[in-house]
Amino acid sequence: MSQAKPESKPAAGGRAGMNEEPPEHFRAYQHVWVFVEVERGQVHPVSWELMGAGRRLADKLGVLLAGVVIGAPDGGTSEAVAEAFCYGADRVYLCEDPILAHYRNEPYTTALKNIVNSFKPEILLLGATNLGRDLAGSVATTLLTGLTADLAGSVATTLLTGLTADSTELDVNADGSLVVTRPTFGGSLLCTIYTLNSRLQMATVRPRVMPMPARVERPLGPVTPCRLLMDEKDIVTKVLSFVADREASMANLAYADIVVADGLGLQSAGNVQLVRNLALSLGAEFGGSRPLVQKGWIDSDRQIGQKSKPAAGGRAGMNEEPPEHFRAYQHVWVFVEVERGQVHPVSWELMGAGRRLADKLGVLLAGVVIGAPDGGTSEAVAEAFCYGADRVYLCEDPILAHYRNEPYTTALKNIVNSFKPEILLLGATNLGRDLAGSVATTLLTGLTADCTELDVNADGSLGATRPTFGGSLLCTIYTLNSRPQMATVRPRVMPMPARVERPLGPVTPCRLLMDEKDIVTKVLSFVADREASMANLAYADIVVAGGLGLQSAGNVQLVRNLALSLGAEFGGSRPLVQKGWIDSDRQIGQTGKTIRPKLYIAAGISGAIQHRVGVEGADLIVAINTDPNAPIFDFAHLGVVADAIQLLPALTETFRRRLSPHS
Ligand SMILES: Cc1cc2nc3c(=O)[nH]c(=O)nc-3n(C[C@H](O)[C@H](O)[C@H](O)COP(=O)(O)OP(=O)(O)OC[C@H]3O[C@@H](n4cnc5c(N)ncnc54)[C@H](O)[C@@H]3O)c2cc1C
């Protein structure tokens, strides 16, 4: 398959830090549905292509495949129902009403939303046609009502319902998670998207992306009639008449049997006629590449490729095999972050992750150490081998005594250009973020920041998974067109591997070749951090945190007191930071710290997904909440349904007594 083929499955098999079991209420959602698009008496062929894709998903999940037909009686609906069974449907939901004679967003959205709410599909597929896109967007938005009240932005809102548009591949995990792959960033990246917080999972797929399944003559199966319950007078839009399309002769490239196309090689607008003539002689359609559209030589409607009409079964126009020059890039590298003589522990966490990737690819794992001689570099090199490195690249120069972006970027860029790693991992620390960004920009390669999972395909493609759209979607990102593939990972997201005493291995010295006078930034002095006693939440063994359930700024003291009695760090959910009750430095969660303590006590925290992803690595999660249905109880190991304001002082007192040296 293509160079970044995600094997139609999630990169790392799991749900990025989510429990393996889907929440209880997901169980109500079952079966795979395809919206059968009937317009002016005709079914759009993309509906049958989706029926083929839906069949594969349904069979994999062991559930039923249903078609949804919406329209006016005698408006082609009966034929559509009959055909749906011939294309593999096990059941059809049929909503017929004269109001549905012509497509209008309002009644169609109501009809589809009502059927979804009544019969709860797990997966709903629609064609990415004009009608399908319009309907999918509004159904997704409508169904979201009340779920994401704190999220703004119509695109985000739409996506948060779990609608992934213009997908090129569909697959499912055993737990029913729909895995949708689509090209992104101009087709340079492939992004695999999961819907975490809601079932229904919706996707639209463009015509001709999925192959057309064989039609098999079959009798009618079960049809569930559904009522619309709408009155024409309540609908704002009216269809007055149909006006013949000025471009009725418009290109029908997607379904043409023969297509003649060309690109800039034609050299002039006039020469497009040569392609037209050949098409005419073959009874074919004609098209062209994007530059031809940009130059105005052909209509946008005739553009072939990712942004327009993919050829049947194609994958966004990507090559099947990785390009030849990718072969020069090998091995997995970890940037070992040494600052003021100390290695940041995230480097060893990444060494553990890098080891797994390297072993899977059958390549070597290398560490990259950059710094001044005697600035802790020798110790870092020695430790890198103890944490699993097979080799270390070492760039030492007095210029590298303190981190400055310019010389560090040059150092790392030079080492990468000389020894060409396939994958380069850095910690998402202040230093790592700064360096990764500038190195990726300088090397013109892809960087996926703040990943929560890393995995590789057999062809060496790094699948870097990270939360997106406020943490409600997980996105696996592939770098298609460049190497190395770079990713940053936040401290404590990956487990710390065991340290094994090992002798020094091979060390490759690298030269910086920079002159101090060429570097703009100078380090004049170090000033003691005003907040030197700053929270060290990420690496604390015990963390006590509070949420809005604390009800007042004053009650944060109750959390602090319990933390004090346990020798723990304290933190909180994001609203506490927003209200100014705690410092931003103490925020736990997706946009705060990721923690991995032995014990995490959460008092008055609901357990929203953005909080959950930051605490799931804790060995023991104890939740105190007055609401027995609070989502935090879905992943806490120990749940206490109680008023935190009363329980926290009692716990503090008990721990104080028990842990006192005199007790
Ligand atoms: C882009 C984005 C990023 C975000 N990043 C983060 C993040 O990094 N970290 C984060 O935490 N959130 C984050 N959020 C916010 C997140 O979605 C939630 O809104 C937030 O976590 C809720 O905080 P909470 O649990 O304190 O409050 P609520 O959700 O209001 O929950 C309060 C809980 O306290 C319980 N309660 C009430 N009274 C008591 C009592 N007396 N005793 C015990 N329990 C009581 C209630 O039953 C309720 O469950 C982010 C949101 C977005 C959109």
Side-chain angles (χ1 to χ4, degrees), residues 372-650:
D374 300 330
T377 44
S378 324
E379 296 78 0
V381 170
E383 282 300 287
F385 289 108
C386 298
Y387 280 103
D390 300 311
R391 161 175 300 281
V392 170
Y393 297 92
L394 172 64
C395 183
E396 282 182 323
D397 195 296
I399 288 179
L400 300 163
H402 304 296
Y403 176 73
R404 285 176 294 170
N405 179 281
E406 216 179 333
Y408 269 66
T409 299
T410 305
L412 188 51
K413 181 198 74 183
N414 289 349
I415 309 177
V416 165
N417 279 338
S418 304
F419 301 101
K420 300 196 183 337
E422 187 158 21
I423 292 170
L424 173 57
L425 308 177
L426 298 94
T429 58
N430 289 346
L431 189 163
R433 284 190 169 129
D434 187 62
L435 181 61
S438 61
V439 168
T441 316
T442 316
L443 291 170
L444 290 177
T445 191
L447 164 67
T448 310
D450 286 1
C451 303
T452 51
E453 285 187 33
L454 300 170
D455 201 2
V456 281
N457 289 341
D459 68 0
S461 305
L462 177 70
T465 303
R466 52 157 305 166
T468 185
F469 285 105
S472 286
L473 297 179
L474 281 182
C475 182
T476 301
I477 296 177
Y478 298 83
T479 300
L480 296 185
N481 291 344
S482 50
R483 292 290 184 270
Q485 305 164 91
M486 291 180 62
T488 63
V489 179
R490 289 200 298 170
R492 299 300 259 176
V493 166
M494 302 288 167
M496 177 67 80
R499 180 187 179 284
V500 179
E501 197 62 45
R502 283 202 194 90
L504 269 189
V507 179
T508 307
C510 309
R511 294 188 50 208
L512 176 62
L513 299 176
M514 262 190 128
D515 208 320
E516 180 61 54
K517 73 172 171 15
D518 300 329
I519 302 169
V520 182
T521 44
K522 309 285 169 202
V523 178
L524 301 181
S525 70
F526 274 93
V527 182
D529 192 337
R530 192 172 52 82
E531 300 184 42
S533 64
M534 238 162 45
N536 188 13
L537 279 176
Y539 288 92
D541 278 340
I542 308 177
V543 175
V544 185
L548 274 184
L550 293 178
Q551 291 169 12
S552 75
N555 284 338
V556 173
Q557 193 57 43
L558 305 178
V559 168
R560 281 172 188 256
N561 290 345
L562 179 57
L564 208 65
S565 74
L566 288 166
E569 280 286 358
F570 78 94
S573 63
R574 184 159 90 153
L576 268 55
V577 175
Q578 288 166 329
K579 282 179 175 286
W581 296 359
I582 60 170
D583 286 347
S584 61
D585 196 54
R586 295 194 177 271
Q587 180 185 320
I588 298 169
Q590 187 205 327
T591 43
K593 296 265 161 47
T594 300
I595 60 172
R596 224 174 232 279
K598 295 194 171 98
L599 170 63
Y600 176 54
I601 302 176
I605 293 179
S606 59
I609 181 73
Q610 295 89 354
H611 188 81
R612 177 178 177 167
V613 293
V615 303
E616 275 191 326
D619 291 341
L620 181 67
I621 299 174
V622 179
I624 306 166
N625 200 303
T626 41
D627 176 5
N629 295 317
I632 199 160
F633 291 132
D634 291 343
F635 60 94
H637 303 103
L638 244 166
V640 187
V641 179
D643 181 347
I645 297 159
Q646 290 178 7
L647 188 63
L648 284 171

Side-chain angles (χ1 to χ4, degrees), residues 167-169 206 208-211 310-318 320:
S167 326
T168 52
E169 291 188 24
R206 287 192 298 165
R208 297 297 261 184
V209 166
M210 302 290 165
R315 299 184 58 252
M318 309 305 301
E320 290 302 303

Side-chain angles (χ1 to χ4, degrees), residues 89-129:
D90 300 310
R91 160 175 302 280
V92 170
Y93 296 93
L94 171 64
C95 182
E96 282 183 322
D97 195 297
I99 289 180
L100 300 163
H102 304 296
Y103 176 72
R104 285 176 293 172
N105 179 283
E106 216 179 332
Y108 268 67
T109 301
T110 306
L112 187 52
K113 184 198 74 184
N114 287 349
I115 307 177
V116 163
N117 279 339
S118 304
F119 301 101
K120 300 196 186 339
E122 187 158 21
I123 293 171
L124 171 59
L125 307 177
L126 300 93
T129 58

Side-chain angles (χ1 to χ4, degrees), residues 157-233:
T157 313
T158 306
L159 280 170
L160 281 168
T161 61
L163 164 66
T164 307
D166 285 3
S167 326
T168 52
E169 291 188 24
L170 298 171
D171 200 3
V172 281
N173 285 342
D175 69 357
S177 308
L178 179 66
V179 184
V180 186
T181 302
R182 55 159 301 174
T184 182
F185 286 106
S188 294
L189 299 178
L190 273 185
C191 181
T192 302
I193 297 177
Y194 310 80
T195 302
L196 297 185
N197 286 351
S198 60
R199 290 291 199 273
L200 174 77
Q201 307 166 91
M202 288 176 66
T204 63
V205 180
R206 287 192 298 165
R208 297 297 261 184
V209 166
M210 302 290 165
M212 178 65 79
R215 180 187 180 283
V216 180
E217 196 60 47
R218 282 201 195 89
L220 271 188
V223 179
T224 309
C226 309
R227 293 188 51 207
L228 176 63
L229 300 174
M230 260 190 129
D231 209 320
E232 181 60 56
K233 72 172 168 21

